[in-house]
Amino acid sequence: MTDVTSFIGKKIEELEKESSFTHYIELKDGLLLKREQEHSKVVDALLNFINNKNLKIVKTDDGTIVDISDIEYSKIEENLKLLENKKGIFWDEETDMCFALLGENFFSYIFPNSIMFSANEENAAKMASLLDARKLEYFGPERISRFKGENLKRKLGRNDPCHCGSGTKYKKCCLDNDLKETGSPRKVATYY
């Protein structure tokens, strides 16, 4: 992996573009499903994909990378399991702080009961297969629109900035109203 610390201070999409992560998967969340997905199954799928490798942990603040550091596989496994109880190094009470794992072949935000995953087409299909095997529900894998050269609509992710321009996360702003009105998250014309 190249020196990714040069991405500190930049938006996540720059790292994804430079890494040729062209496809995106997002697990459906409890608001949409009216139930939480099993955290242990989410963790199992991600750990299976990681396949005992050490990775980078990426800390972001509202989509901007603020820190990147190394993390050993044993710490990844331990802290992914703690995340279900909102504990461990992947949990922060700050609503704008998020943690992600970065490998040579993927990038994935991690949350209790959910992940947002990007990779190339082959690895996105591999992750989709792992999610299918565990009967987890998700959106995608879809080609990220900025790689298509066209402006396709996608469902706004709960941790994306809200479409109303308030600057807060979608889940803390208009998501509930959009779900009441249309039954699904708002579709937007750009990836972020």
Side-chain angles (χ1 to χ4, degrees):
M1 185 176 297
T2 61
D3 178 26
V4 293
T5 58
S6 64
F7 288 99
I8 293 174
K10 297 180 181 178
K11 292 287 190 182
I12 285 298
E13 55 260 28
E14 292 181 56
L15 184 140
E16 290 175 314
K17 185 175 182 180
E18 182 71 25
S19 301
S20 299
F21 298 157
T22 57
H23 285 71
Y24 178 78
I25 295 173
E26 181 176 346
L27 265 64
K28 294 181 179 178
D29 63 26
L31 289 172
L32 184 63
L33 296 174
K34 308 292 189 236
R35 63 173 171 75
E36 294 295 335
Q37 301 214 58
E38 286 184 54
H39 184 75
S40 61
K41 288 182 179 181
V42 175
V43 168
D44 186 55
L46 190 55
L47 289 174
N48 190 291
F49 185 87
I50 294 169
N51 194 24
N52 295 312
K53 292 185 174 97
N54 296 338
L55 301 173
K56 302 279 186 195
I57 183 170
V58 180
K59 185 176 181 180
T60 67
D61 183 359
D62 199 24
T64 300
I65 299 168
V66 295
D67 189 38
I68 300 175
S69 57
D70 294 320
I71 185 167
E72 295 178 1
Y73 178 82
S74 62
K75 291 287 184 192
I76 295 168
E77 183 176 25
E78 173 188 343
N79 284 283
L80 282 175
K81 291 175 182 177
L82 288 170
L83 188 58
E84 180 177 25
N85 297 314
K86 298 180 179 178
K87 295 182 179 178
I89 62 174
F90 299 145
W91 178 254
D92 191 322
E93 289 295 325
E94 282 287 322
T95 57
D96 290 337
M97 247 0 124
C98 294
F99 294 87
L101 294 172
L102 174 65
E104 290 184 13
N105 59 351
F106 81 101
F107 174 84
S108 183
Y109 276 113
I110 48 180
F111 309 100
N113 310 323
S114 188
I115 58 172
M116 297 164 61
F117 181 93
S118 60
N120 65 19
E121 185 174 15
E122 178 184 343
N123 286 304
K126 179 180 175 183
M127 176 53 85
S129 176
L130 293 169
L131 298 172
D132 288 339
R134 289 154 183 84
K135 298 185 179 3
L136 294 165
E137 297 182 54
Y138 57 92
F139 299 107
E142 295 179 13
R143 188 163 173 86
I144 298 171
S145 63
R146 69 177 176 267
F147 290 100
K148 287 185 171 186
E150 52 191 71
N151 204 13
L152 296 180
K153 289 191 173 190
R154 73 162 193 92
K155 289 183 181 173
L156 189 62
R158 42 189 315 249
N159 288 300
D160 289 338
C162 189
H163 59 80
C164 74
S166 66
T168 60
K169 289 187 179 187
Y170 184 42
K171 68 183 176 186
K172 298 281 185 185
C173 197
C174 295
L175 177 61
D176 287 339
N177 288 336
D178 289 347
L179 290 173
K180 287 176 188 172
E181 285 181 20
T182 66
S184 67
R186 173 81 54 120
K187 288 193 175 191
V188 294
T190 59
Y191 178 59
Y192 278 98

